């Protein structure tokens, strides 16, 4: 029966066809789910809209999770949906400047921005989406860089995925 009983996931953080979130969206699409995708800013709009079209996404929204008003706007747009079943949060960000330096030289502002976008945004998105999850549901977040960064460089040693569920 696929995921038809959990028919409406929203995906935050698809950047291109190599994104982990895109692979997850493909799996949901293959199982018959109706998808909602988001993108961050004009730079990603065309790419995510094309990926959404290839997946038959029901809707595609702009949402910069570093801005509370955009999360509020996303929540308002979700009011048009009967319900929401799953949130896939696959967003990570750190400034190129901070990533190019040893970890111990990370700036306070850079660290706080990375935490706001990569971690706290999950809390803000969960708060915004939870009221539409009237049948319960799942919220998932993914990360890899912070868990596997080499202390002497910016190359990755291995991948690490963290999945958490809550509603």
């Amino acid at each position: 029966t696929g995921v038809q009983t959990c028919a409406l996931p929203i995906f935050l953080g698809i950047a291109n066809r190599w994104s982990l979130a895109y692979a997850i969206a493909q799996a949901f699409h293959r199982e018959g789910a109706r998808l909602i995708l988001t993108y961050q800013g004009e730079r990603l709009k065309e790419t995510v809209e094309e990926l959404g079209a290839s997946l038959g996404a029901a809707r595609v929204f702009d949402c910069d999770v570093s801005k509370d008003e955009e999360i509020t706007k996303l929540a308002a747009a979700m009011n048009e949906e009967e319900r929401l079943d799953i949130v896939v949060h696959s967003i990570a960000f750190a400034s190129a400047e901070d990533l190019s330096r040893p970890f111990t030289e990370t700036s306070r502002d850079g660290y706080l921005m990375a935490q706001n976008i990569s971690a706290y945004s999950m809390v803000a998105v969960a708060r915004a989406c939870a009221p539409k999850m009237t049948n319960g549901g799942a919220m998932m977040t993914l990360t890899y860089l912070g868990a596997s960064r080499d202390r002497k460089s910016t190359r990755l040693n291995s991948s690490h995925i963290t999945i958490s569920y809550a509603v």
Side-chain angles (χ1 to χ4, degrees), residues 40-152:
Q40 188 268 321
E42 288 298 314
R43 187 176 68 81
L44 294 175
K45 180 180 181 178
E46 183 178 347
T47 299
V48 176
E49 285 180 342
E50 288 174 6
L51 293 172
S54 74
L55 295 170
R59 301 170 80 185
V60 179
F61 296 108
D62 185 14
C63 184
D64 180 343
V65 296
S66 70
K67 300 176 180 172
D68 289 337
E69 62 274 11
E70 292 208 15
I71 296 172
T72 300
K73 189 170 93 176
L74 178 66
M78 293 303 300
N79 283 332
E80 296 176 22
E81 301 296 333
E82 180 181 333
R83 71 178 200 276
L84 180 64
D85 300 300
I86 298 167
V87 175
V88 178
H89 176 279
S90 183
I91 299 171
F93 179 81
S95 73
E97 182 180 330
D98 283 326
L99 288 174
S100 68
R101 299 186 294 221
F103 174 75
T104 56
E105 294 177 20
T106 301
S107 69
R108 181 180 300 273
D109 287 343
Y111 178 82
L112 292 173
M113 179 176 55
Q115 288 297 309
N116 180 41
I117 295 170
S118 304
Y120 180 77
S121 66
M122 176 64 179
V123 175
V125 167
R127 184 179 302 122
C129 291
K132 292 304 293 183
M133 300 178 90
T134 55
N135 292 333
M139 295 185 184
M140 171 188 324
T141 190
L142 298 91
T143 185
Y144 66 93
L145 185 57
S148 59
R149 186 170 176 179
D150 184 314
R151 292 178 189 215
K152 296 179 183 176

Side-chain angles (χ1 to χ4, degrees), residues 19-30:
S19 297
L20 290 172
Y22 180 65
I24 297 167
Q26 286 177 306
F28 273 94
H29 173 68
R30 187 174 54 249

